[in-house]
Amino acid sequence: MTEVRTRFAPSPTGYMHLGNLRTALYTYLYARRMGGKFILRIEDTDQKREVKDAVDIIYKSMKTAGLTHDEGPDVGGPCGPYVQSQRKHTYMPFAKQLVESGHAYYCFCTEERLEEARKAAEARGETFKYDKHCLSLSKEEVRAKLDAGVPFVIRQNIPTEGKAGFDDVIYGHVEVDCSTLDDNVLIKADGLPTYNFANVIDDHLMGITHVMRGNEYLSSAPKYNLLYEALGWTPPTYVHLTPVMVEGTYRDKKTGEYQMAVDAEGNPVLDAEGNPVKAIVKRKMSKSQGDPSFEDLLAEGYLVDAVINYLVLLGWSPRGEREFFTLKELEEVFDLEGLSKSPSFFDMQKLNWFNAEYIRKLSPEAYREIATPWLAKVLDPARFDFARLCELLQGRTEVFSQLPGMVRFLAELPEFPVDFYANKKQKSTPESAKAALSALLPVLEGVTDWTEAELHDRVMEAIPGMGMKNGQALWPLRIAISGQQSTPGGAFEIAYLLGREETLRRLRQSMEKLG
């Protein structure tokens, strides 16, 4: 049986967006499941779009996600180099072979001629397609231009008749009329190959058996297969993955303008202040549209394991109802049969739920280690009992970036309306709150052993003598010292964390505002 060899081939153009990471994940998992090899290849032929340090970001993201490659630029291997710009001299011989066999040709057209042809096509209401102008040049004419140093590209010679197609694991057999295909460039004027050509050559030379990539390459795959046929090679198994979609705003990359909402009659939708409202559309997830990258999510306090677990389910269904998998478990169960034929939708609330579940599974020590830097953004570790605070927070945390906002009230009592004291369920009103706090102040002033247990016992002993239910006393106490209707922990936990002097100071301050 042929060894399965898969590859992840990102371009160094920025951060690892989630759709890209999902492709890497599926590619990695299939190789591991089949006992094969997972290769990392950097496709940097489009050097105008290359971003500084982007390759290091790719390495870091892959390592963080746990996707260890067997061959690649940083680990070597038998098929190197694994950076396309370092393989520059690999591609021209194959391009010339295609020229000799009539499957490609030299094109000397200037940018001015191509631009005129594009404008003419637009004027006719047609999509521009190269007109094979240079295909008619004789060998002698081509040689003369080459000897004279005339700039050139090498184009694929697509047949003008017949069909071109390929078989795909998800989409089945895909076939198009050759007459609809353009003679795409294989070798650019700078001597570097285009993505369309380089990936075919590299996939073959690296023995890639399965190519997984986004379905935006479906339209190009027939041309790839024509190259495989022309070179006498067997094409790999294609797996074109459906996109990850989101509901969000859409901004045109060229103009920078947002798509705006319109009503049934086509009139602009305005907000309460008369400003146009941005349309909410279903679109492909994209970093350029402001959607989070893998690095963004980690920086916000999402756990790697939670992101990977959620991401793998965006387009793949395991057998059975199980949702939670470790990466090692996914290596054992991932299969191509579970891949979806429909787009998947990225739901931040669902990711938050996954992340919260993973946070609850952390040991208290692990949770505290991650939470401490977030808490320290707003609280002094020397003043507050972070260990106790973390015990109260772990079951309430969805994303670690929420923590500063959840505990900021401990640093300073926020302004809050008197209405906060009103609670129908607890039978509390601003008037009953004033009476409750007046009765509780001397009780708390008498507590010297400031522990949660002592605070609980002393207050609970006093409540029956106040002629109130527990909620009528404890609700206003928590409001008075926290200024929050929802807190990690109740009145006793908050009072303990604040300490005796701060609790009493806040209690007196809140009572003054009640009048």
PDB file of all heavy atoms in Angstrom, residues 128-163:
ATOM      1  N   PHE A 128     -12.548  38.481 -19.248  1.00  0.00           N
ATOM      2  CA  PHE A 128     -11.306  38.446 -20.019  1.00  0.00           C
ATOM      3  C   PHE A 128     -10.674  37.067 -19.988  1.00  0.00           C
ATOM      4  O   PHE A 128     -10.590  36.423 -18.947  1.00  0.00           O
ATOM      5  CB  PHE A 128     -10.309  39.470 -19.483  1.00  0.00           C
ATOM      6  CG  PHE A 128      -8.933  39.339 -20.082  1.00  0.00           C
ATOM      7  CD1 PHE A 128      -8.700  39.705 -21.402  1.00  0.00           C
ATOM      8  CD2 PHE A 128      -7.880  38.817 -19.342  1.00  0.00           C
ATOM      9  CE1 PHE A 128      -7.441  39.567 -21.968  1.00  0.00           C
ATOM     10  CE2 PHE A 128      -6.618  38.673 -19.903  1.00  0.00           C
ATOM     11  CZ  PHE A 128      -6.392  39.062 -21.215  1.00  0.00           C
ATOM     12  N   LYS A 129     -10.250  36.616 -21.163  1.00  0.00           N
ATOM     13  CA  LYS A 129      -9.521  35.363 -21.296  1.00  0.00           C
ATOM     14  C   LYS A 129      -8.436  35.588 -22.345  1.00  0.00           C
ATOM     15  O   LYS A 129      -8.721  36.143 -23.422  1.00  0.00           O
ATOM     16  CB  LYS A 129     -10.467  34.240 -21.721  1.00  0.00           C
ATOM     17  CG  LYS A 129      -9.864  32.857 -21.565  1.00  0.00           C
ATOM     18  CD  LYS A 129     -10.889  31.764 -21.858  1.00  0.00           C
ATOM     19  CE  LYS A 129     -11.176  31.699 -23.331  1.00  0.00           C
ATOM     20  NZ  LYS A 129     -11.612  30.371 -23.791  1.00  0.00           N
ATOM     21  N   TYR A 130      -7.215  35.185 -22.021  1.00  0.00           N
ATOM     22  CA  TYR A 130      -6.110  35.431 -22.951  1.00  0.00           C
ATOM     23  C   TYR A 130      -6.406  34.781 -24.298  1.00  0.00           C
ATOM     24  O   TYR A 130      -6.889  33.648 -24.371  1.00  0.00           O
ATOM     25  CB  TYR A 130      -4.800  34.909 -22.368  1.00  0.00           C
ATOM     26  CG  TYR A 130      -3.616  35.215 -23.262  1.00  0.00           C
ATOM     27  CD1 TYR A 130      -3.192  36.528 -23.453  1.00  0.00           C
ATOM     28  CD2 TYR A 130      -2.954  34.203 -23.952  1.00  0.00           C
ATOM     29  CE1 TYR A 130      -2.123  36.823 -24.293  1.00  0.00           C
ATOM     30  CE2 TYR A 130      -1.880  34.484 -24.779  1.00  0.00           C
ATOM     31  CZ  TYR A 130      -1.468  35.802 -24.948  1.00  0.00           C
ATOM     32  OH  TYR A 130      -0.415  36.087 -25.789  1.00  0.00           O
ATOM     33  N   ASP A 131      -6.092  35.502 -25.378  1.00  0.00           N
ATOM     34  CA  ASP A 131      -6.507  35.095 -26.724  1.00  0.00           C
ATOM     35  C   ASP A 131      -5.489  34.230 -27.480  1.00  0.00           C
ATOM     36  O   ASP A 131      -5.578  34.081 -28.703  1.00  0.00           O
ATOM     37  CB  ASP A 131      -6.831  36.339 -27.553  1.00  0.00           C
ATOM     38  CG  ASP A 131      -5.635  37.295 -27.639  1.00  0.00           C
ATOM     39  OD1 ASP A 131      -4.534  36.943 -27.147  1.00  0.00           O
ATOM     40  OD2 ASP A 131      -5.799  38.401 -28.197  1.00  0.00           O
ATOM     41  N   LYS A 132      -4.510  33.686 -26.754  1.00  0.00           N
ATOM     42  CA  LYS A 132      -3.481  32.823 -27.355  1.00  0.00           C
ATOM     43  C   LYS A 132      -2.674  33.571 -28.427  1.00  0.00           C
ATOM     44  O   LYS A 132      -2.150  32.966 -29.379  1.00  0.00           O
ATOM     45  CB  LYS A 132      -4.114  31.552 -27.964  1.00  0.00           C
ATOM     46  CG  LYS A 132      -4.714  30.596 -26.939  1.00  0.00           C
ATOM     47  CD  LYS A 132      -5.241  29.321 -27.603  1.00  0.00           C
ATOM     48  CE  LYS A 132      -5.900  28.378 -26.620  1.00  0.00           C
ATOM     49  NZ  LYS A 132      -4.914  27.673 -25.775  1.00  0.00           N
ATOM     50  N   HIS A 133      -2.577  34.884 -28.290  1.00  0.00           N
ATOM     51  CA  HIS A 133      -1.901  35.711 -29.290  1.00  0.00           C
ATOM     52  C   HIS A 133      -0.499  35.198 -29.612  1.00  0.00           C
ATOM     53  O   HIS A 133      -0.096  35.141 -30.795  1.00  0.00           O
ATOM     54  CB  HIS A 133      -1.829  37.158 -28.786  1.00  0.00           C
ATOM     55  CG  HIS A 133      -1.071  38.088 -29.667  1.00  0.00           C
ATOM     56  ND1 HIS A 133      -1.583  38.584 -30.850  1.00  0.00           N
ATOM     57  CD2 HIS A 133       0.184  38.620 -29.550  1.00  0.00           C
ATOM     58  CE1 HIS A 133      -0.694  39.380 -31.415  1.00  0.00           C
ATOM     59  NE2 HIS A 133       0.384  39.422 -30.649  1.00  0.00           N
ATOM     60  N   CYS A 134       0.274  34.822 -28.592  1.00  0.00           N
ATOM     61  CA  CYS A 134       1.666  34.431 -28.807  1.00  0.00           C
ATOM     62  C   CYS A 134       1.831  32.958 -29.187  1.00  0.00           C
ATOM     63  O   CYS A 134       2.947  32.528 -29.499  1.00  0.00           O
ATOM     64  CB  CYS A 134       2.501  34.727 -27.566  1.00  0.00           C
ATOM     65  SG  CYS A 134       2.726  36.502 -27.269  1.00  0.00           S
ATOM     66  N   LEU A 135       0.743  32.204 -29.130  1.00  0.00           N
ATOM     67  CA  LEU A 135       0.828  30.795 -29.518  1.00  0.00           C
ATOM     68  C   LEU A 135       1.176  30.651 -30.999  1.00  0.00           C
ATOM     69  O   LEU A 135       1.785  29.662 -31.428  1.00  0.00           O
ATOM     70  CB  LEU A 135      -0.500  30.088 -29.218  1.00  0.00           C
ATOM     71  CG  LEU A 135      -0.576  28.598 -29.558  1.00  0.00           C
ATOM     72  CD1 LEU A 135       0.471  27.806 -28.755  1.00  0.00           C
ATOM     73  CD2 LEU A 135      -1.974  28.053 -29.256  1.00  0.00           C
ATOM     74  N   SER A 136       0.823  31.661 -31.774  1.00  0.00           N
ATOM     75  CA  SER A 136       1.045  31.592 -33.229  1.00  0.00           C
ATOM     76  C   SER A 136       2.477  31.925 -33.623  1.00  0.00           C
ATOM     77  O   SER A 136       2.850  31.795 -34.799  1.00  0.00           O
ATOM     78  CB  SER A 136       0.081  32.541 -33.945  1.00  0.00           C
ATOM     79  OG  SER A 136       0.318  33.885 -33.530  1.00  0.00           O
ATOM     80  N   LEU A 137       3.298  32.362 -32.686  1.00  0.00           N
ATOM     81  CA  LEU A 137       4.691  32.695 -33.012  1.00  0.00           C
ATOM     82  C   LEU A 137       5.443  31.441 -33.427  1.00  0.00           C
ATOM     83  O   LEU A 137       5.302  30.374 -32.814  1.00  0.00           O
ATOM     84  CB  LEU A 137       5.386  33.337 -31.811  1.00  0.00           C
ATOM     85  CG  LEU A 137       4.866  34.706 -31.349  1.00  0.00           C
ATOM     86  CD1 LEU A 137       5.572  35.134 -30.076  1.00  0.00           C
ATOM     87  CD2 LEU A 137       5.045  35.755 -32.447  1.00  0.00           C
ATOM     88  N   SER A 138       6.256  31.578 -34.444  1.00  0.00           N
ATOM     89  CA  SER A 138       7.069  30.432 -34.880  1.00  0.00           C
ATOM     90  C   SER A 138       8.224  30.206 -33.908  1.00  0.00           C
ATOM     91  O   SER A 138       8.551  31.091 -33.099  1.00  0.00           O
ATOM     92  CB  SER A 138       7.624  30.697 -36.279  1.00  0.00           C
ATOM     93  OG  SER A 138       8.566  31.770 -36.237  1.00  0.00           O
ATOM     94  N   LYS A 139       8.862  29.044 -34.006  1.00  0.00           N
ATOM     95  CA  LYS A 139      10.002  28.755 -33.139  1.00  0.00           C
ATOM     96  C   LYS A 139      11.114  29.774 -33.364  1.00  0.00           C
ATOM     97  O   LYS A 139      11.809  30.181 -32.416  1.00  0.00           O
ATOM     98  CB  LYS A 139      10.521  27.346 -33.400  1.00  0.00           C
ATOM     99  CG  LYS A 139       9.623  26.238 -32.862  1.00  0.00           C
ATOM    100  CD  LYS A 139      10.287  24.879 -33.016  1.00  0.00           C
ATOM    101  CE  LYS A 139       9.411  23.776 -32.412  1.00  0.00           C
ATOM    102  NZ  LYS A 139      10.048  22.438 -32.522  1.00  0.00           N
ATOM    103  N   GLU A 140      11.284  30.187 -34.609  1.00  0.00           N
ATOM    104  CA  GLU A 140      12.331  31.156 -34.931  1.00  0.00           C
ATOM    105  C   GLU A 140      12.026  32.519 -34.292  1.00  0.00           C
ATOM    106  O   GLU A 140      12.933  33.186 -33.754  1.00  0.00           O
ATOM    107  CB  GLU A 140      12.456  31.308 -36.454  1.00  0.00           C
ATOM    108  CG  GLU A 140      12.999  30.083 -37.181  1.00  0.00           C
ATOM    109  CD  GLU A 140      11.978  28.966 -37.283  1.00  0.00           C
ATOM    110  OE1 GLU A 140      10.748  29.268 -37.152  1.00  0.00           O
ATOM    111  OE2 GLU A 140      12.391  27.801 -37.459  1.00  0.00           O
ATOM    112  N   GLU A 141      10.758  32.934 -34.347  1.00  0.00           N
ATOM    113  CA  GLU A 141      10.366  34.207 -33.739  1.00  0.00           C
ATOM    114  C   GLU A 141      10.551  34.171 -32.223  1.00  0.00           C
ATOM    115  O   GLU A 141      11.016  35.144 -31.612  1.00  0.00           O
ATOM    116  CB  GLU A 141       8.906  34.522 -34.080  1.00  0.00           C
ATOM    117  CG  GLU A 141       8.682  34.902 -35.541  1.00  0.00           C
ATOM    118  CD  GLU A 141       7.217  35.083 -35.865  1.00  0.00           C
ATOM    119  OE1 GLU A 141       6.431  34.147 -35.590  1.00  0.00           O
ATOM    120  OE2 GLU A 141       6.858  36.160 -36.399  1.00  0.00           O
ATOM    121  N   VAL A 142      10.173  33.034 -31.633  1.00  0.00           N
ATOM    122  CA  VAL A 142      10.336  32.888 -30.179  1.00  0.00           C
ATOM    123  C   VAL A 142      11.811  32.960 -29.813  1.00  0.00           C
ATOM    124  O   VAL A 142      12.204  33.676 -28.874  1.00  0.00           O
ATOM    125  CB  VAL A 142       9.725  31.548 -29.702  1.00  0.00           C
ATOM    126  CG1 VAL A 142      10.122  31.268 -28.252  1.00  0.00           C
ATOM    127  CG2 VAL A 142       8.205  31.573 -29.840  1.00  0.00           C
ATOM    128  N   ARG A 143      12.651  32.242 -30.572  1.00  0.00           N
ATOM    129  CA  ARG A 143      14.082  32.232 -30.273  1.00  0.00           C
ATOM    130  C   ARG A 143      14.681  33.625 -30.419  1.00  0.00           C
ATOM    131  O   ARG A 143      15.504  34.056 -29.588  1.00  0.00           O
ATOM    132  CB  ARG A 143      14.776  31.252 -31.230  1.00  0.00           C
ATOM    133  CG  ARG A 143      16.305  31.204 -31.158  1.00  0.00           C
ATOM    134  CD  ARG A 143      16.844  31.107 -29.733  1.00  0.00           C
ATOM    135  NE  ARG A 143      16.267  30.014 -28.985  1.00  0.00           N
ATOM    136  CZ  ARG A 143      16.360  29.875 -27.669  1.00  0.00           C
ATOM    137  NH1 ARG A 143      16.964  30.836 -26.962  1.00  0.00           N
ATOM    138  NH2 ARG A 143      15.821  28.856 -27.060  1.00  0.00           N
ATOM    139  N   ALA A 144      14.279  34.344 -31.435  1.00  0.00           N
ATOM    140  CA  ALA A 144      14.799  35.694 -31.642  1.00  0.00           C
ATOM    141  C   ALA A 144      14.443  36.608 -30.464  1.00  0.00           C
ATOM    142  O   ALA A 144      15.276  37.405 -30.004  1.00  0.00           O
ATOM    143  CB  ALA A 144      14.251  36.269 -32.947  1.00  0.00           C
ATOM    144  N   LYS A 145      13.226  36.502 -29.975  1.00  0.00           N
ATOM    145  CA  LYS A 145      12.802  37.340 -28.841  1.00  0.00           C
ATOM    146  C   LYS A 145      13.546  36.950 -27.565  1.00  0.00           C
ATOM    147  O   LYS A 145      13.938  37.820 -26.766  1.00  0.00           O
ATOM    148  CB  LYS A 145      11.285  37.221 -28.638  1.00  0.00           C
ATOM    149  CG  LYS A 145      10.459  37.922 -29.718  1.00  0.00           C
ATOM    150  CD  LYS A 145       8.977  37.775 -29.445  1.00  0.00           C
ATOM    151  CE  LYS A 145       8.145  38.491 -30.505  1.00  0.00           C
ATOM    152  NZ  LYS A 145       8.294  39.967 -30.428  1.00  0.00           N
ATOM    153  N   LEU A 146      13.726  35.650 -27.377  1.00  0.00           N
ATOM    154  CA  LEU A 146      14.456  35.195 -26.192  1.00  0.00           C
ATOM    155  C   LEU A 146      15.898  35.677 -26.244  1.00  0.00           C
ATOM    156  O   LEU A 146      16.445  36.151 -25.236  1.00  0.00           O
ATOM    157  CB  LEU A 146      14.412  33.666 -26.094  1.00  0.00           C
ATOM    158  CG  LEU A 146      13.051  33.031 -25.799  1.00  0.00           C
ATOM    159  CD1 LEU A 146      13.154  31.508 -25.829  1.00  0.00           C
ATOM    160  CD2 LEU A 146      12.512  33.486 -24.439  1.00  0.00           C
ATOM    161  N   ASP A 147      16.535  35.568 -27.430  1.00  0.00           N
ATOM    162  CA  ASP A 147      17.917  36.004 -27.568  1.00  0.00           C
ATOM    163  C   ASP A 147      18.048  37.505 -27.378  1.00  0.00           C
ATOM    164  O   ASP A 147      19.091  37.994 -26.901  1.00  0.00           O
ATOM    165  CB  ASP A 147      18.455  35.611 -28.953  1.00  0.00           C
ATOM    166  CG  ASP A 147      18.634  34.100 -29.095  1.00  0.00           C
ATOM    167  OD1 ASP A 147      18.666  33.422 -28.052  1.00  0.00           O
ATOM    168  OD2 ASP A 147      18.726  33.618 -30.239  1.00  0.00           O
ATOM    169  N   ALA A 148      16.983  38.225 -27.727  1.00  0.00           N
ATOM    170  CA  ALA A 148      17.016  39.689 -27.588  1.00  0.00           C
ATOM    171  C   ALA A 148      16.681  40.141 -26.167  1.00  0.00           C
ATOM    172  O   ALA A 148      16.721  41.336 -25.870  1.00  0.00           O
ATOM    173  CB  ALA A 148      16.041  40.325 -28.583  1.00  0.00           C
ATOM    174  N   GLY A 149      16.362  39.200 -25.291  1.00  0.00           N
ATOM    175  CA  GLY A 149      16.052  39.543 -23.895  1.00  0.00           C
ATOM    176  C   GLY A 149      14.688  40.150 -23.698  1.00  0.00           C
ATOM    177  O   GLY A 149      14.463  40.866 -22.714  1.00  0.00           O
ATOM    178  N   VAL A 150      13.753  39.880 -24.617  1.00  0.00           N
ATOM    179  CA  VAL A 150      12.390  40.397 -24.459  1.00  0.00           C
ATOM    180  C   VAL A 150      11.729  39.692 -23.269  1.00  0.00           C
ATOM    181  O   VAL A 150      11.758  38.459 -23.181  1.00  0.00           O
ATOM    182  CB  VAL A 150      11.552  40.162 -25.734  1.00  0.00           C
ATOM    183  CG1 VAL A 150      10.117  40.657 -25.535  1.00  0.00           C
ATOM    184  CG2 VAL A 150      12.187  40.860 -26.923  1.00  0.00           C
ATOM    185  N   PRO A 151      11.147  40.454 -22.334  1.00  0.00           N
ATOM    186  CA  PRO A 151      10.503  39.820 -21.176  1.00  0.00           C
ATOM    187  C   PRO A 151       9.388  38.867 -21.618  1.00  0.00           C
ATOM    188  O   PRO A 151       8.679  39.128 -22.598  1.00  0.00           O
ATOM    189  CB  PRO A 151       9.921  41.004 -20.392  1.00  0.00           C
ATOM    190  CG  PRO A 151      10.755  42.172 -20.819  1.00  0.00           C
ATOM    191  CD  PRO A 151      11.095  41.923 -22.262  1.00  0.00           C
ATOM    192  N   PHE A 152       9.241  37.773 -20.866  1.00  0.00           N
ATOM    193  CA  PHE A 152       8.235  36.779 -21.232  1.00  0.00           C
ATOM    194  C   PHE A 152       7.660  36.102 -19.998  1.00  0.00           C
ATOM    195  O   PHE A 152       8.241  36.154 -18.903  1.00  0.00           O
ATOM    196  CB  PHE A 152       8.853  35.708 -22.148  1.00  0.00           C
ATOM    197  CG  PHE A 152       9.861  34.831 -21.451  1.00  0.00           C
ATOM    198  CD1 PHE A 152       9.475  33.661 -20.787  1.00  0.00           C
ATOM    199  CD2 PHE A 152      11.215  35.177 -21.436  1.00  0.00           C
ATOM    200  CE1 PHE A 152      10.399  32.871 -20.130  1.00  0.00           C
ATOM    201  CE2 PHE A 152      12.148  34.383 -20.779  1.00  0.00           C
ATOM    202  CZ  PHE A 152      11.733  33.224 -20.121  1.00  0.00           C
ATOM    203  N   VAL A 153       6.533  35.475 -20.202  1.00  0.00           N
ATOM    204  CA  VAL A 153       5.986  34.508 -19.253  1.00  0.00           C
ATOM    205  C   VAL A 153       5.755  33.228 -20.048  1.00  0.00           C
ATOM    206  O   VAL A 153       5.805  33.238 -21.280  1.00  0.00           O
ATOM    207  CB  VAL A 153       4.658  34.986 -18.618  1.00  0.00           C
ATOM    208  CG1 VAL A 153       4.860  36.278 -17.860  1.00  0.00           C
ATOM    209  CG2 VAL A 153       3.570  35.146 -19.683  1.00  0.00           C
ATOM    210  N   ILE A 154       5.532  32.131 -19.329  1.00  0.00           N
ATOM    211  CA  ILE A 154       5.165  30.882 -19.997  1.00  0.00           C
ATOM    212  C   ILE A 154       3.738  30.550 -19.587  1.00  0.00           C
ATOM    213  O   ILE A 154       3.422  30.505 -18.395  1.00  0.00           O
ATOM    214  CB  ILE A 154       6.124  29.736 -19.634  1.00  0.00           C
ATOM    215  CG1 ILE A 154       7.529  30.044 -20.154  1.00  0.00           C
ATOM    216  CG2 ILE A 154       5.621  28.406 -20.214  1.00  0.00           C
ATOM    217  CD1 ILE A 154       8.562  28.973 -19.849  1.00  0.00           C
ATOM    218  N   ARG A 155       2.880  30.355 -20.601  1.00  0.00           N
ATOM    219  CA  ARG A 155       1.470  30.078 -20.352  1.00  0.00           C
ATOM    220  C   ARG A 155       1.133  28.617 -20.656  1.00  0.00           C
ATOM    221  O   ARG A 155       1.721  27.999 -21.546  1.00  0.00           O
ATOM    222  CB  ARG A 155       0.588  30.969 -21.227  1.00  0.00           C
ATOM    223  CG  ARG A 155       0.582  32.431 -20.859  1.00  0.00           C
ATOM    224  CD  ARG A 155      -0.371  33.221 -21.745  1.00  0.00           C
ATOM    225  NE  ARG A 155      -0.385  34.626 -21.397  1.00  0.00           N
ATOM    226  CZ  ARG A 155      -1.176  35.165 -20.464  1.00  0.00           C
ATOM    227  NH1 ARG A 155      -2.030  34.384 -19.810  1.00  0.00           N
ATOM    228  NH2 ARG A 155      -1.135  36.459 -20.211  1.00  0.00           N
ATOM    229  N   GLN A 156       0.173  28.114 -19.918  1.00  0.00           N
ATOM    230  CA  GLN A 156      -0.356  26.787 -20.205  1.00  0.00           C
ATOM    231  C   GLN A 156      -1.224  26.859 -21.461  1.00  0.00           C
ATOM    232  O   GLN A 156      -2.020  27.798 -21.620  1.00  0.00           O
ATOM    233  CB  GLN A 156      -1.192  26.281 -19.021  1.00  0.00           C
ATOM    234  CG  GLN A 156      -1.714  24.869 -19.180  1.00  0.00           C
ATOM    235  CD  GLN A 156      -2.473  24.385 -17.941  1.00  0.00           C
ATOM    236  OE1 GLN A 156      -2.613  25.138 -16.969  1.00  0.00           O
ATOM    237  NE2 GLN A 156      -2.965  23.165 -17.971  1.00  0.00           N
ATOM    238  N   ASN A 157      -1.080  25.907 -22.335  1.00  0.00           N
ATOM    239  CA  ASN A 157      -1.867  25.863 -23.570  1.00  0.00           C
ATOM    240  C   ASN A 157      -3.087  24.968 -23.342  1.00  0.00           C
ATOM    241  O   ASN A 157      -3.033  23.754 -23.513  1.00  0.00           O
ATOM    242  CB  ASN A 157      -1.010  25.325 -24.721  1.00  0.00           C
ATOM    243  CG  ASN A 157      -1.740  25.374 -26.049  1.00  0.00           C
ATOM    244  OD1 ASN A 157      -2.762  26.059 -26.185  1.00  0.00           O
ATOM    245  ND2 ASN A 157      -1.233  24.654 -27.038  1.00  0.00           N
ATOM    246  N   ILE A 158      -4.173  25.589 -22.937  1.00  0.00           N
ATOM    247  CA  ILE A 158      -5.402  24.851 -22.664  1.00  0.00           C
ATOM    248  C   ILE A 158      -6.074  24.480 -23.994  1.00  0.00           C
ATOM    249  O   ILE A 158      -6.208  25.337 -24.872  1.00  0.00           O
ATOM    250  CB  ILE A 158      -6.378  25.695 -21.818  1.00  0.00           C
ATOM    251  CG1 ILE A 158      -5.714  26.130 -20.499  1.00  0.00           C
ATOM    252  CG2 ILE A 158      -7.674  24.919 -21.549  1.00  0.00           C
ATOM    253  CD1 ILE A 158      -5.521  25.039 -19.493  1.00  0.00           C
ATOM    254  N   PRO A 159      -6.506  23.238 -24.162  1.00  0.00           N
ATOM    255  CA  PRO A 159      -7.227  22.881 -25.393  1.00  0.00           C
ATOM    256  C   PRO A 159      -8.469  23.767 -25.558  1.00  0.00           C
ATOM    257  O   PRO A 159      -9.094  24.180 -24.579  1.00  0.00           O
ATOM    258  CB  PRO A 159      -7.622  21.418 -25.156  1.00  0.00           C
ATOM    259  CG  PRO A 159      -6.658  20.921 -24.133  1.00  0.00           C
ATOM    260  CD  PRO A 159      -6.342  22.090 -23.259  1.00  0.00           C
ATOM    261  N   THR A 160      -8.814  24.058 -26.797  1.00  0.00           N
ATOM    262  CA  THR A 160      -9.984  24.897 -27.063  1.00  0.00           C
ATOM    263  C   THR A 160     -11.265  24.079 -27.140  1.00  0.00           C
ATOM    264  O   THR A 160     -12.362  24.640 -27.151  1.00  0.00           O
ATOM    265  CB  THR A 160      -9.803  25.663 -28.381  1.00  0.00           C
ATOM    266  OG1 THR A 160      -9.541  24.716 -29.434  1.00  0.00           O
ATOM    267  CG2 THR A 160      -8.640  26.646 -28.277  1.00  0.00           C
ATOM    268  N   GLU A 161     -11.129  22.769 -27.171  1.00  0.00           N
ATOM    269  CA  GLU A 161     -12.299  21.889 -27.239  1.00  0.00           C
ATOM    270  C   GLU A 161     -12.155  20.769 -26.211  1.00  0.00           C
ATOM    271  O   GLU A 161     -11.081  20.535 -25.661  1.00  0.00           O
ATOM    272  CB  GLU A 161     -12.441  21.281 -28.642  1.00  0.00           C
ATOM    273  CG  GLU A 161     -12.649  22.306 -29.748  1.00  0.00           C
ATOM    274  CD  GLU A 161     -12.717  21.656 -31.117  1.00  0.00           C
ATOM    275  OE1 GLU A 161     -12.319  20.471 -31.229  1.00  0.00           O
ATOM    276  OE2 GLU A 161     -13.165  22.322 -32.073  1.00  0.00           O
ATOM    277  N   GLY A 162     -13.258  20.062 -25.996  1.00  0.00           N
ATOM    278  CA  GLY A 162     -13.234  18.922 -25.095  1.00  0.00           C
ATOM    279  C   GLY A 162     -13.498  19.300 -23.652  1.00  0.00           C
ATOM    280  O   GLY A 162     -13.876  20.444 -23.343  1.00  0.00           O
ATOM    281  N   LYS A 163     -13.291  18.343 -22.770  1.00  0.00           N
ATOM    282  CA  LYS A 163     -13.568  18.512 -21.343  1.00  0.00           C
ATOM    283  C   LYS A 163     -12.293  18.340 -20.529  1.00  0.00           C
ATOM    284  O   LYS A 163     -11.365  17.646 -20.928  1.00  0.00           O
ATOM    285  CB  LYS A 163     -14.594  17.469 -20.877  1.00  0.00           C
ATOM    286  CG  LYS A 163     -15.903  17.466 -21.649  1.00  0.00           C
ATOM    287  CD  LYS A 163     -16.858  18.522 -21.147  1.00  0.00           C
ATOM    288  CE  LYS A 163     -18.237  18.368 -21.801  1.00  0.00           C
ATOM    289  NZ  LYS A 163     -19.180  19.404 -21.321  1.00  0.00           N
TER     290      LYS A 163
END
